[in-house]
Amino acid sequence: EPEVTQTPSHQVTQMGQEVILRCVPISNHLYFYWYRQILGQKVEFLVSFYNNEISEKSEIFDDQFSVERPDGSNFTLKIRSTKLEDSAMYFCASSVPSGANVLTFGAGSRLTVL
Amino acid sequence: AQSVAQPEDQVNVAEGNPLTVKCTYSVSGNPYLFWYVQYPNRGLQFLLKYITGDNLVKGSYGFEAEFNKSQTSFHLKKPSALVSDSALYFCAVRDGRSGGYQKVTFGTGTKLQVIP
């Protein structure tokens, strides 16, 4: 069964450093998303991406965040200057271009900011 | 704006008993409703969805959910719980009027504990 793959599974970084989280969505999916989950609790929407541009973003997704689909395969989330409160599990998801919008999630990338 | 409420942080049920995990939603247009399950250290997995049609929808692993428009609810149910059902369950909603690329909003999650 097709999977959304995410790397790295766990990254530890110092506050103020840049981090790039990578995702390979399912090949025939056209909609891409990043969500985050802090301490195994609420799953928070960050951003959705379609047709090579951001479709929607939340208030969390401020100027320190950016997304990119550099090569038609990978979908990346960049955090320019990490803060302690950015520590979370970051999930990439993708979906097919249909009305149902069932999201397929990756296993997540755990980010720890020290 | 759209939102989801899961009023119970945790639900405990004995193995073999029926289970219900509650969810209510708020959305401007027609709701697209979903249930996802998360096992420890894993991503969310899709269980079932409601878009239109029959109010009772069936999904994976014997789960089902009932859409109630008047009560704006979408409770998850299973006739007979298994220990392996123990996990974190998330209800989610999207405004059916919006494009497929628009966000899906998740609830805070309910931890289901099935006691042997």
Side-chain angles (χ1 to χ4, degrees), chain A residues 48-72:
Chain A
S48 60
F49 190 87
Y50 169 63
N51 200 25
N52 285 319
E53 62 183 22
I54 290 174
S55 305
E56 189 173 2
K57 61 182 180 180
S58 71
E59 60 278 5
I60 301 170
F61 195 88
D62 59 22
D63 291 343
Q64 70 164 339
F65 290 92
S66 63
V67 289
E68 192 178 35
R69 189 162 162 80
D71 56 12

Side-chain angles (χ1 to χ4, degrees), chain A residues 31-33 35 37 40-45 48-50 55-56 58-59 89 91 95-96 98-108 110, chain B residues 2 4 9 32 34 36 38 41-49 51 88 90 94-96 98-109:
Chain A
Y31 304 143
F32 313 114
Y33 314 81
Y35 283 80
Q37 184 180 37
Q41 298 300 318
K42 183 176 184 178
V43 177
E44 300 175 301
F45 170 78
S48 60
F49 190 87
Y50 169 63
S55 305
E56 189 173 2
S58 71
E59 60 278 5
M89 182 72 89
F91 290 106
S95 68
V96 295
S98 73
N101 200 34
V102 172
L103 303 181
T104 301
F105 284 84
R110 181 174 299 280
Chain B
Q2 58 196 35
V4 174
D9 290 337
Y32 286 6
F34 309 86
Y36 287 80
Q38 184 182 30
N41 301 312
R42 301 287 296 276
L44 281 72
Q45 298 176 36
F46 169 74
L47 274 181
L48 50 79
K49 67 180 184 290
I51 298 176
L88 191 56
F90 289 94
R94 179 169 81 79
D95 188 334
S98 63
Y101 46 81
Q102 299 300 319
K103 72 177 180 181
V104 175
T105 297
F106 287 82
T108 51

Side-chain angles (χ1 to χ4, degrees), chain A residues 23-25 34 45-46 50 70 78 89 92:
Chain A
C23 169
V24 178
W34 284 101
F45 170 78
L46 292 178
Y50 169 63
K78 180 190 290 186
M89 182 72 89
C92 174

Side-chain angles (χ1 to χ4, degrees), chain B residues 3-5 22-27 29 31 33 66-75 91 93:
Chain B
S3 65
V4 174
K22 296 179 180 178
C23 169
T24 58
Y25 67 89
S26 175
V27 69
L33 294 157
E66 185 167 14
F67 170 65
N68 187 316
K69 187 174 182 178
S70 62
Q71 297 185 4
T72 61
S73 67
F74 189 58
H75 300 331
C91 182
V93 67

